[in-house]
Amino acid sequence: MMLFALQEHVQEHAAEAAHGAGEKFNAGRTIIEHVTNSGLDHPLVHLPTIAGIDFSVTKHVLMLWLVAAVVFVLVTFTVRRYVRQGRAVPTGFANLLELLVEFIRDQVALPNVGRKWVNTWAPYLLTLFVFILSANVMGLLPIFEVVALLDYYVLHTADGSFLKQVVHGGTTATANFNVTAALATMTFFAIIVAGVRAHGFVKHWKNLVPGGVSKFVYPILIPIEIMGMFVRPFALTMRLAANMTGGHIAILAILSLIFLFAEKAGTALAGIGVAAISVPLAVAISAMEIVIVVPVQAYVFTLLTAVFIGMAIHVHH
């Protein structure tokens, strides 16, 4: 699917060159256009700007809605079906869902927030994990590439149509720093809420600095601790988005070598020769993303959130 996307760009540039434009294949522009959020200047759906915020629907907003809808429908259908059957032991996808719930509750939430608060924070942690995992997985599925193939060979919609816009741009919502920043912001406030619920409002803020410290250290320690409050969500934001973006850039860069070598040599045989190496390497990186990067990044974000919440609750630890 990525080869098709790159090939489409090559064909566009070739057509322009045939008319005298002479534009060459731009690997950098091709990569950026396929990993970033498209439609910032021309969004999919125009909505008004309120308080300086543009509420127009872009590709990544559409992906957020799609991920949320898929997760909601799939989980709701599975749980209701399990309840209607009345079985003591779930089967199929319900069994996998139960395994996931128990894993987050017993292996992530319980060791960090404690038995008293596990039922309070396990639902939030589970929601984070499932949403991030689903967004990561759906970002690797060639959903819009299939639509692009259908449009290219069958529908032939006009340039600038809604379908042409929706197939253009990155599909991994968690590779957008705005999305990861929103998730990290929720964690930021969750940490404060957890500390306030466990110790009270005043005591929570006093717990920012350890007791028994000389009063002369407070002018240095307090700014450092306040800075640390904001460093945590910043680290969560950058880690998830950078890791999800990096894999896609690596795959596209490797596949771009096919067209760069073909263009440089002036023959398709050079591209075919490079493809014998580039395609298996790109497939290997894709497999690594599916097996390692996608679940690990969802797990790390959820685990660090649980650790930060647990630190606010169990200050003495």
Side-chain angles (χ1 to χ4, degrees):
M1 297 304 175
M2 291 178 182
L3 281 171
F4 167 78
L6 292 171
Q7 182 184 12
E8 189 177 4
H9 275 269
V10 173
Q11 291 173 346
E12 291 175 0
H13 299 324
E16 292 176 358
H19 289 83
E23 184 179 353
K24 295 184 178 180
F25 174 69
N26 191 326
R29 187 179 67 183
T30 301
I31 293 172
I32 293 300
E33 287 178 351
H34 284 83
V35 297
T36 56
N37 188 19
S38 64
L40 295 177
D41 297 326
H42 303 284
L44 303 179
V45 179
H46 288 272
L47 293 177
T49 300
I50 302 175
I53 302 175
D54 188 359
F55 284 87
S56 298
V57 179
T58 62
K59 181 68 170 292
H60 284 172
V61 174
L62 178 64
M63 283 303 298
L64 284 175
W65 291 351
L66 184 60
V67 171
V70 169
V71 171
F72 175 77
V73 171
L74 189 60
V75 172
T76 303
F77 173 78
T78 302
V79 172
R80 289 188 175 182
R81 183 169 178 269
Y82 168 68
V83 172
R84 286 197 303 267
Q85 289 177 347
R87 295 179 178 177
V89 179
T91 58
F93 185 75
N95 190 25
L96 178 63
L97 186 61
E98 183 184 43
L99 179 65
L100 182 62
V101 172
E102 291 182 351
F103 172 75
I104 297 298
R105 184 193 63 190
D106 299 338
Q107 303 299 324
V108 177
L110 182 60
N112 291 288
V113 303
R115 191 169 299 277
K116 179 180 178 181
W117 299 97
V118 64
N119 291 331
T120 302
W121 292 107
Y124 172 68
L125 297 173
L126 180 65
T127 303
L128 269 183
F129 181 81
V130 172
F131 177 80
I132 295 174
L133 180 65
S134 301
N136 293 351
V137 170
M138 292 185 66
L140 292 176
L141 297 178
I143 302 172
F144 295 97
E145 283 75 8
V146 172
V147 176
L149 284 172
L150 181 65
D151 179 53
Y152 187 80
Y153 289 107
V154 180
L155 301 178
H156 305 293
T157 59
D159 292 337
S161 64
F162 179 82
L163 192 59
K164 279 287 196 302
Q165 295 180 27
V166 80
V167 300
H168 185 71
T171 58
T172 307
T174 44
N176 190 318
F177 288 94
N178 295 301
V179 175
T180 56
L183 295 173
T185 300
M186 290 190 295
T187 294
F188 174 78
F189 288 107
I191 295 170
I192 297 176
V193 170
V196 170
R197 291 190 63 180
H199 306 286
F201 183 82
V202 177
K203 181 65 174 174
H204 166 69
W205 294 108
K206 286 184 177 180
N207 289 335
L208 287 179
V209 294
V213 179
S214 173
K215 60 182 180 180
F216 298 104
V217 181
Y218 285 134
I220 301 175
L221 195 58
I222 291 177
I224 292 176
E225 292 296 332
I226 294 176
M227 187 183 302
M229 289 176 55
F230 295 95
V231 168
R232 292 168 185 169
F234 177 77
L236 291 175
T237 299
M238 300 302 294
R239 178 184 290 106
L240 178 57
N243 277 282
M244 295 312 301
T245 305
H248 296 295
I249 291 177
I251 295 171
L252 288 166
I254 292 171
L255 293 177
S256 296
L257 294 175
I258 300 172
F259 307 103
L260 289 174
F261 274 83
E263 186 179 74
K264 200 70 174 177
T267 174
L269 292 177
I272 296 173
V274 175
I277 301 174
S278 296
V279 173
L281 185 57
V283 171
I285 295 177
S286 299
M288 184 182 68
E289 278 208 319
I290 295 172
V291 176
I292 299 177
V293 177
V294 165
V296 166
Q297 290 307 314
Y299 172 74
V300 168
F301 194 102
T302 307
L303 178 64
L304 289 178
T305 297
V307 170
F308 295 152
I309 292 175
M311 290 170 63
I313 294 174
H314 307 289
V315 183
H316 58 283
H317 290 169

